[in-house]
Amino acid sequence: MLFSNRQAYVLSLPVIVLSLSLSLIIIYKIVVLLKAAGYIVSYWFEQMNYTYKKIWLIVFPVMMSILIEQLINITDALFLGHVGDVELGASALAGIWFLAIYMLGFGFSLGLQVVIARRNGEQRYAETGKTFFQGLLFLLMLAVLLCLLSKIFSPVLLKHLITSDDVYNAVICYLDWRIWGLLFSFPFLALRSFLVGITQTKSLNMAAFTAVLVNIPLNWLLIFGFDMGISGAAIASSSAEMCSLAVLAAYMFRHIDKKVYGLYWRIDITILKEVFSISVWSMLQFFTSVAIWFLFFVAIERLGETELAVSNIVRSVSALFSVIVNALAGVTGSLVSNLIGAGEKKKVFPLCHKIIRLGYATGIPLIAFALFFHQPIIGAYTENPGIVQLAWAPFLVMLLNYFFALPGYVYLNAATGTGATRTVFIFQVTTTIAYLFCLWGLDSCDVPLATYWAVEYLYVILLGTQSVIYLKYKQY
């Protein structure tokens, strides 16, 4: 009978929906306050092109668009935590496996964004639309190819990596439906790259909220109403991405001047080669960054299903902070590219410093909030008191990593914005080697779960240090 075996959870649904709503409201209110602060402090930087106010006007919509993917993952974890520990842990492995594949498209879109922003900075506006369509075509073909390859090879590869049969079966059930979301998320990335590149990002808010509004009720209906479990979460996530793509495409069609930006279908292999020559290294960089994140969770899965469930909770909460970091870092790359296109290389470091200050101003209040209310936050994911207690130490380690991750990724994306995507990929490879070496060392030692999470500090510090050295001493 419909809902009969989920009555206890149905009663808690308003609390979960309220928690997600409050998270959005808190982020929005903080950004509004910082926008107001931008009016006061912007005169200190009148000699620069990008004031605090202008940066936030660009960053906030990007932050909301990135929140689409993250809130989808958070919602999945919130609901699946009340289905079972196996489903909660499996959603982490499946989500990161999907994210690694998704990052191939995201990496290409970042290179696409760099080229579009460079053309925009050079005031060659018609070239931005021409470049956009080459990227859109490539991402559509890549989405189809990756869907087919995943259906064939993912079950085989994951069978050799996951030790628990229950976790493996749950992961495959999720991926069977989730992988088709690439057909919607990749075109969305192309649209977002164009809008960020020309610094017209307000429409990303509408797309973000549409995805959240679709995903939450659909998750509840499919997981508990139709008792589809982890498969229901995957269907809800892909459906949310489809709706957000429809909103953004409608906005582009109605509000962007097609003549000014040259938005006409045409194939130009020369432009596609230029974009790909920059993007290929971003694709490899972001795929590698998430692939080692997947290997991190594989290492945790070998510790036990409880440790895997705890880590998924910590990862889910950390997603809210990564939204801030990734939005600021992503916009850094676009703004740096615009500065270089306008011949303003000397303003790159001052821009990075301002973005880092804004990131701390946004993140520190949220960190304090999370520390003070850590028990109800963790408790929203599970009713198991053992998991709630075990999660505190890695939860604390994760929160403090924000102070290192923010500057690390801002400088890394600044280096990407210069067009040095191959150099950035080399930074990623050297850092990955050090990171995996540390994980290998921990695997042979009897250390607490929080120690595994502390290795993230090494990862972001190494990335940031290499990027600063490049920006300071290389000609670009």
Side-chain angles (χ1 to χ4, degrees), residues 181-392:
L182 295 177
L183 298 175
F184 312 117
S185 60
F186 276 21
F188 180 90
L189 287 172
L191 294 175
R192 189 174 76 184
S193 294
F194 175 74
L195 292 171
V196 174
I198 65 173
T199 67
Q200 295 188 26
T201 56
K202 291 182 179 179
S203 60
L204 298 180
N205 288 342
M206 297 183 294
F209 282 111
T210 299
V212 175
L213 291 175
V214 170
N215 193 50
I216 292 175
L218 203 55
N219 246 317
W220 175 75
L221 179 65
L222 295 178
I223 294 174
F224 300 106
F226 293 99
D227 203 22
M228 295 181 69
I230 197 168
S231 296
I235 296 172
S237 299
S238 297
S239 300
E241 290 174 337
M242 178 182 67
C243 293
S244 64
L245 172 62
V247 169
L248 207 59
Y251 177 88
M252 283 271 294
F253 182 78
R254 294 183 61 184
H255 297 285
I256 300 298
D257 193 319
K258 299 177 181 61
K259 290 184 179 179
V260 171
Y261 290 103
L263 292 173
Y264 302 102
W265 274 105
R266 70 191 75 177
I267 298 176
D268 191 321
I269 301 300
T270 303
I271 294 178
L272 183 57
K273 286 181 179 179
E274 179 188 1
V275 174
F276 188 77
S277 66
I278 295 176
S279 299
V280 64
W281 302 108
S282 296
M283 294 169 71
L284 293 173
Q285 173 206 339
F286 283 98
F287 175 79
T288 303
S289 67
V290 179
I292 63 170
W293 192 227
F294 177 79
L295 293 177
F296 170 83
F297 272 85
V298 168
I300 299 299
E301 189 262 344
R302 296 175 188 275
L303 298 177
E305 293 176 356
T306 299
E307 286 79 4
L308 182 61
V310 167
S311 291
N312 193 22
I313 293 173
V314 175
R315 179 190 72 92
S316 181
V317 177
S318 73
L320 286 175
F321 295 94
S322 70
V323 166
I324 303 170
V325 172
N326 290 334
L328 289 167
V331 167
T332 300
S334 181
L335 297 184
V336 166
S337 191
N338 270 278
L339 284 176
I340 294 173
E344 299 285 355
K345 297 179 182 179
K346 64 181 180 180
K347 296 181 179 180
V348 169
F349 267 111
L351 173 68
C352 292
H353 297 159
K354 288 174 68 178
I355 290 174
I356 292 169
R357 291 188 201 109
L358 291 173
Y360 284 141
T362 307
I364 289 174
L366 293 177
I367 291 172
F369 178 86
L371 287 172
F372 191 76
F373 295 103
H374 69 276
Q375 284 193 328
I377 290 173
I378 298 171
Y381 289 86
T382 181
E383 298 167 358
N384 187 331
I387 290 181
V388 174
Q389 184 178 1
L390 184 61
W392 163 239

Side-chain angles (χ1 to χ4, degrees), residues 58-79:
I58 298 171
V59 165
F60 181 60
V62 177
M63 193 180 295
M64 291 298 101
S65 72
I66 294 176
L67 201 59
I68 292 175
E69 281 297 326
Q70 300 297 357
L71 276 183
I72 285 173
N73 294 330
I74 292 170
T75 305
D76 288 351
L78 277 169
F79 283 99

Side-chain angles (χ1 to χ4, degrees), residues 90 159 162 164-174 176 230:
K159 187 66 176 177
I162 300 173
S164 169
D165 289 337
D166 291 338
V167 172
Y168 168 78
N169 291 329
V171 167
I172 296 303
C173 286
Y174 184 89
D176 280 343
I230 197 168

Side-chain angles (χ1 to χ4, degrees), residues 150-168:
S150 177
K151 292 292 289 184
I152 296 171
F153 294 109
S154 288
V156 178
L157 295 173
L158 290 171
K159 187 66 176 177
H160 291 87
L161 293 172
I162 300 173
T163 57
S164 169
D165 289 337
D166 291 338
V167 172
Y168 168 78

